[in-house]
Amino acid sequence: LTKLPVILWEMSDKQGESKSVLKIAAARRVPEDYIEKARTSIESGKSMTSIALDKKEHIQVSDIQDKTIDPPFENIEQAKIEGWRAFLCVPLLGKHDRPLGTLSIYDKKVRNFSESEVALCTSFAGYAAIAFQNFQMLDKERNTREILESLQQIRSDILAQSEPQELFKTIVNSACSLMEKKNKRNLHGSVCLCDHAAKQIRVVHCNSKKISG
């Protein structure tokens, strides 16, 4: 197995991309351009990967270039380029069998993987799942800590303002800055106040000319 192409797939977190696809987290003996662009569906019944995750057990195919297999291998064109034939997919399952990704092994020979090979990959997938969960937990804790620190700074900035316009500006800029960290894109906002006498809502500050009342 040490000489075979290996891919560790994980849930995609790319902005605007469906959560029902996996992207490559790590790979060996696989082209760099394929690592960047490859995706595989985990919608039920749409791919071999989805079957492995649905059944929560490994799945193997002796020849992924066989046109009679159902469902067909999703990235078949790349498989043909690389000469991949045999395929083994082992699911990475977290707590309560939550799907985290998969471990895929490829061989240029038409064959079935042995019981010892399947057992080895299954064990490795278990270790990988633990590592994934630990990383996600640490990442979540770090994000929570950063948000709390940002909120504390925002509170201090707001309390330091004495002029209404500066206060409104600080509120908008602070809120946008906090949300931008989560959404990873530029945001705009405004502060609106109710004018009960005129029975309308007025925009008292806005950080974009595109936004109006």
Side-chain angles (χ1 to χ4, degrees), residues 82-177:
E82 301 302 320
W84 296 338
R85 306 302 292 255
F87 171 74
L88 171 64
C89 179
V90 181
L92 271 63
L93 303 174
K95 191 174 182 180
H96 305 305
D97 285 340
R98 181 172 66 91
L100 302 173
T102 62
L103 177 68
S104 297
I105 312 290
Y106 308 83
D107 198 336
K108 293 185 177 183
K109 298 178 181 178
V110 175
R111 71 181 182 94
N112 288 317
F113 289 87
S114 67
E115 290 185 7
S116 61
E117 289 174 324
V118 172
L120 179 61
C121 290
T122 301
S123 296
F124 184 81
Y127 294 133
I130 293 172
F132 265 42
Q133 288 184 110
N134 289 341
F135 173 79
Q136 290 176 345
M137 182 177 64
L138 291 173
D139 192 47
K140 184 178 180 179
E141 290 178 354
R142 184 176 66 251
N143 289 338
T144 300
R145 184 171 62 253
E146 290 176 353
I147 290 173
L148 291 175
E149 291 173 352
S150 297
L151 289 173
Q152 183 63 35
Q153 183 60 51
I154 290 172
R155 176 179 178 275
S156 299
D157 292 343
I158 290 175
L159 292 176
Q161 304 303 325
S162 56
E163 296 295 327
Q165 281 302 318
E166 287 301 314
L167 173 61
F168 299 146
K169 180 180 179 180
T170 300
I171 291 173
V172 171
N173 290 343
S174 298
C176 288
S177 177

